[in-house]
Amino acid sequence: MSVPGHNPPFEVGVESARYELRQSGEGLCLAIGGDWTAFGLGNLPTEIMRSLTEGSRPKALDVQSLGHVDSAGALALVEALGSTAPLEASDRQDLRRLADLVGAPSEARQVTEPAASAINTFFARIGRQVERFIGQIWAVMDFQGRLVVALGRHLRNPKRLRLTPLFSVMEQAGINAIPIVMMMCFFIGAIVALVGANLLSTFGVSAFTVELVGVAILREFGAVIAAILFAGRSASAFAAEIGAMRMNQEVDAMKVMGVDEFDALVVPRVLAALLMVPILTFCGDIGGILGGLLVSWATMDISPVFFLERTVDTVSLTHFWIGLVKAPFFALVIAAAGCGKGLAVSGDTESLGKGVTSAVVQSIFLIIMFDAIFAVIFMELDL
Amino acid sequence: MTSDAPDRGSAAPPIRVTGLRTEFGDTLIHDDLNLDVKAGEILGLVGGSGSGKSVLLNTILGLKTPDAGKVELFGHDIQEGGERDEVERRIGVLFQNGALFSALTVQENVEAPFLEHSDLPMELVGKLAALKIKLAGLPEDAGAKKPAELSGGMRKRAGIARAIALDPALLFLDEPTSGLDPIAANEFDELIRTLRDALGLTVFLITHDLDTLHAICDRVAVLAERKVIAVAPVEDLERSEHPWVRDFFQGPRGRAAQRTYN
Ligand SMILES: Nc1ncnc2c1ncn2[C@@H]1O[C@H](COP(=O)(O)OP(=O)(O)O)[C@@H](O)[C@H]1O
Ligand SMILES: [Mg+2]
């Protein structure tokens, strides 16, 4: 029951298409050879069009040495000849059928918009940027409002809290991040100690290295490094997970089941971040002090016992608390950026990629900004 | 006098599956499965849900390695790397959910195979893509839309437009009419037949749609008990004694379809 006519066979090789313009009795004749297929044609169609001057369209077609032909080749022929008539008159059955398929030569389908004046596009661009900016601010406020409402609901009725996702996020985003956070802070502590020892020894007060390390790690680096790593690991993960669920219509399915997406997706992640970032900060503090301790021991012969004693004696506990107080704020910023960007993903993969990127960039930017604001506040408070 | 393209290809069948065994862990999906698809035919593949139709398609496409046996496309073993590229550009696939590139417009989706496999000038590629979009039965303004902006039926048509971009010799369709309304499904059947006749395609079609089987399939292969238990025209299968085949074709829906087409 096979169809009459051609079946494009599996091609062993492709012979490049070629053409020749001949002057014959009735007028110009286009002789073609080789494979007129998407693979054999290459840039030939442009060459033909260039060599044909307007009004000198070939009237006849010679297909003596033509190999295979497909719709790409047929379309190129019809465009060059200006009509399907020569193809329909050909003795090649596949050409006749393709002529039917391709139809009469097409008008230029690409509709180009009239070029707008430079001044116009300039203002249009500014307008679009402003609109986008306002839209973003609106989206952030909308998200924050819903988050506050959802958290309030959970406070009134703690049974709403979904424990399984909470613990799973706490493990993946928190516990699993402890080694990398400690390691990172260890190196930062070591660097601070090295630089400090070098600088302070020129004043003959290298013992102050201990205080330098203690204050720098506890007050700043512990919290900031933990938060930045959390943002890199988990803001991206939150945005990607929730964004993929959006693309897959899972979020819509939840909504029609009467499940609030903030209850199911956002609140567990925000709470997990609120609980885990302080713990990570604490781990970072330990790693940083250890780094400083080791470097001081190796380069300045400050014994570990002396280092720890001096830390306890001279570094006020306030520094530790200041570092820890910042952690929940960072956590909130990171989780909100991740979940918010995830929920904003639309149907396509590009918006998913953009969402994940901007979740990370935005949360790291906000971490540094908040840290600067806190620095000013604590300075004013004389802490 | 009628001549045709010179025959440089082999006379091997478009698809030949021999002794195929597929397993996931301990679950055996296919065991000693054999199937031949003839050039130029529309072959329908039916089987219960979970019987391994999609897995068979993935194996034929080389997306899954068979645990035993061989899959040949046009006489070339797809597991042997050398001619993969040659084979790839002779086949077109419509996956069950369309599998369009969501970041590109429909027009760009259809242009993608040309950009990958040919050096045609951009202008011609644009016109060809527009031609294929029209052939697939989509309105002209659909080309500029993203897949997310299309309805399910239109997405399938866009998927077909991309599948036939390079005039493939072999077209694979996974449940093309599922989820379409009856009118759209009829149009789709019509479209597949038109394309087969116009482009000389061989079509391998997975479907549950009895109307599709009656209307356009030259032969129907039945996948059951981990094998292809029968390959025959629909009318012959309707007389089959095999319990599953009988239930499939002689159930209330099967009878209704039979009445329509006989
Ligand atoms: N990646 C996979 N891992 C394990 N089992 C699978 C996988 N893909 C499919 N299966 C199993 O193979 C069987 C056949 O699946 P499939 O081919 O999708 O069915 P259908 O015939 O409905 O298309 C099913 O039982 C399914 O559970
Ligand atoms: Mg399936």
Side-chain angles (χ1 to χ4, degrees):
Chain A
M1 225 182 283
S2 146
V3 225
H6 88 139
N7 271 301
F10 176 79
E11 283 170 42
V12 180
V14 177
E15 200 188 328
S16 300
R18 50 184 190 276
Y19 77 99
E20 195 186 342
L21 283 166
R22 270 203 305 263
Q23 206 66 45
S24 71
E26 308 104 70
L28 209 51
C29 172
L30 180 66
I32 56 177
D35 287 331
W36 278 62
T37 62
F39 318 113
L41 264 178
N43 206 29
L44 205 70
T46 326
E47 284 170 38
I48 297 190
M49 288 314 242
R50 214 175 289 141
S51 64
L52 287 176
T53 47
E54 207 46 54
S56 72
R57 298 268 190 182
K59 292 277 177 298
L61 188 63
D62 176 358
V63 293
Q64 279 291 306
S65 47
L66 177 64
H68 291 294
V69 58
D70 69 1
S71 55
L75 185 66
L77 278 176
V78 172
E79 297 278 323
L81 297 166
S83 93
T84 52
L87 275 72
E88 274 153 8
S90 139
D91 58 2
R92 279 278 291 264
Q93 198 188 7
D94 49 350
L95 255 188
R96 290 202 300 270
R97 194 170 42 216
L98 284 168
D100 207 33
L101 187 82
V102 170
S106 50
E107 305 303 317
R109 282 205 183 85
Q110 253 89 358
V111 191
T112 45
E113 283 182 22
S117 73
I119 189 106
N120 230 330
T121 49
F122 175 72
F123 282 115
R125 208 167 49 227
I126 291 182
R128 267 197 287 275
Q129 293 283 357
V130 169
E131 192 196 346
R132 223 185 54 199
F133 184 68
I134 292 175
Q136 264 177 8
I137 291 184
W138 179 260
V140 168
M141 294 206 306
D142 182 65
F143 178 82
Q144 303 290 2
R146 285 152 170 273
L147 179 59
V148 169
V149 171
L151 285 173
R153 265 201 311 260
H154 280 77
L155 273 183
R156 263 194 18 214
N157 182 6
K159 280 219 192 83
R160 291 187 84 99
L161 184 61
R162 284 148 203 270
L163 290 176
T164 320
L166 175 71
F167 285 124
S168 119
V169 176
M170 277 171 71
E171 186 191 338
Q172 279 173 22
I175 308 291
N176 293 352
I178 288 178
I180 179 86
V181 169
M182 287 190 80
M183 194 116 89
M184 202 77 165
C185 285
F186 178 89
F187 287 125
I188 300 276
I191 293 167
V192 171
L194 266 179
V195 175
N198 234 332
L199 205 67
L200 295 174
S201 67
T202 51
F203 303 112
V205 285
S206 45
F208 277 99
T209 307
V210 179
E211 272 141 290
L212 181 65
V213 170
V215 173
I217 292 294
L218 295 183
R219 197 180 170 107
E220 290 296 332
F221 286 121
V224 171
I225 295 294
I228 287 182
L229 279 173
F230 194 85
R233 286 182 88 247
S234 303
S236 53
F238 293 172
E241 285 161 7
I242 297 179
M245 292 180 79
R246 286 263 325 164
M247 284 178 59
N248 208 10
Q249 289 199 310
E250 287 172 52
V251 176
D252 297 345
M254 263 180 209
K255 276 192 208 163
V256 296
M257 269 185 240
V259 178
D260 186 90
E261 75 262 36
F262 274 74
D263 285 4
L265 301 175
V266 180
V267 171
R269 288 183 167 79
V270 170
L271 284 185
L274 279 175
L275 291 173
M276 292 317 292
V277 176
I279 294 179
L280 287 177
T281 303
F282 183 72
C283 296
D285 288 348
I286 295 176
I289 301 283
L290 274 180
L293 182 147
L294 232 69
V295 166
S296 308
W297 192 17
T299 62
M300 295 179 298
D301 267 343
I302 297 180
S303 83
V305 178
F306 175 75
F307 188 97
L308 289 179
E309 266 174 6
R310 203 178 154 87
T311 304
V312 173
D313 287 348
T314 59
V315 181
S316 123
L317 208 55
T318 320
H319 296 302
F320 170 72
W321 287 119
I322 285 180
L324 213 56
V325 156
K326 293 190 279 195
F329 290 92
F330 293 161
L332 206 57
V333 163
I334 299 164
C339 297
K341 293 291 173 190
L343 283 176
V345 166
S346 59
D348 58 317
T349 45
E350 210 178 331
S351 75
L352 180 65
K354 274 191 190 144
V356 173
T357 309
S358 68
V360 175
V361 172
Q362 198 180 68
S363 47
I364 291 181
F365 173 83
L366 289 174
I367 289 166
I368 306 286
M369 198 181 84
F370 270 69
D371 197 46
I373 294 173
F374 275 118
V376 174
I377 291 175
F378 289 132
M379 205 174 68
E380 289 297 313
L381 292 175
D382 278 332
L383 290 172
Chain B
M1 185 194 76
T2 293
S3 66
D4 216 331
D7 191 9
R8 265 183 271 141
S10 55
I15 306 175
R16 166 164 285 170
V17 182
T18 35
L20 178 71
R21 187 162 55 96
T22 324
E23 49 198 14
F24 288 109
D26 292 338
T27 359
L28 197 57
I29 309 287
H30 305 130
D31 190 21
D32 192 26
L33 182 150
N34 298 297
L35 179 66
D36 269 14
V37 180
K38 295 183 202 158
E41 77 173 337
I42 299 183
L43 181 95
L45 179 70
V46 300
S49 285
S51 59
K53 302 182 297 293
S54 298
V55 173
L56 177 60
L57 174 66
N58 285 347
T59 313
I60 292 176
L61 292 173
L63 299 173
K64 183 177 186 330
T65 322
D67 294 296
K70 202 157 73 162
V71 176
E72 287 167 287
L73 297 182
F74 304 101
H76 294 258
D77 191 335
I78 49 155
Q79 289 305 321
E80 282 164 22
E83 274 133 353
R84 264 224 73 102
D85 202 42
E86 292 273 301
V87 176
E88 255 163 24
R89 58 193 203 190
R90 304 311 290 160
I91 64 181
V93 188
L94 171 65
F95 286 100
Q96 207 162 348
N97 58 3
L100 295 166
F101 303 125
S102 62
L104 306 180
T105 63
V106 171
Q107 172 88 16
E108 287 164 341
N109 261 286
V110 182
E111 285 172 2
F114 289 105
L115 303 185
E116 191 57 38
H117 285 295
S118 80
D119 314 314
L120 295 175
M122 215 34 230
E123 200 198 333
L124 189 67
V125 169
K127 283 181 183 164
L128 273 169
L131 174 70
K132 302 291 155 109
I133 290 170
K134 202 174 93 193
L135 272 182
L138 283 171
E140 210 153 304
D141 62 346
K145 291 193 175 140
K146 292 263 181 89
E149 299 164 329
L150 299 179
S151 72
M154 287 167 90
R155 224 172 289 158
K156 293 209 161 157
R157 285 176 190 273
I160 281 242
R162 189 180 66 182
I164 60 169
L166 291 173
D167 286 15
L170 184 52
L171 184 62
F172 294 92
L173 308 167
D174 195 351
E175 304 203 12
T177 54
S178 70
L180 296 187
D181 66 82
I183 300 173
N186 284 343
E187 285 174 4
F188 218 86
D189 288 347
E190 201 51 46
L191 169 67
I192 294 167
R193 193 172 30 206
T194 315
L195 288 175
R196 189 268 306 261
D197 294 345
L199 301 172
L201 292 167
T202 305
V203 181
F204 179 90
L205 172 97
I206 297 176
T207 188
H208 289 297
D209 191 331
L210 285 151
D211 293 311
T212 305
L213 293 175
H214 278 280
I216 61 170
C217 290
D218 299 315
R219 290 194 306 158
V220 175
V222 182
L223 184 58
E225 298 156 12
R226 308 193 183 91
K227 288 184 181 31
V228 173
I229 55 165
V231 190
V234 187
E235 305 83 55
D236 296 357
L237 287 179
E238 279 167 350
R239 290 191 289 274
S240 164
E241 290 301 314
H242 188 279
W244 191 88
V245 182
R246 208 175 47 217
D247 286 353
F248 189 86
F249 287 103
Q250 300 297 337
R253 288 158 196 276
R255 281 180 192 284
Q258 215 171 316
R259 273 197 299 277
T260 317
Y261 290 93
N262 289 348

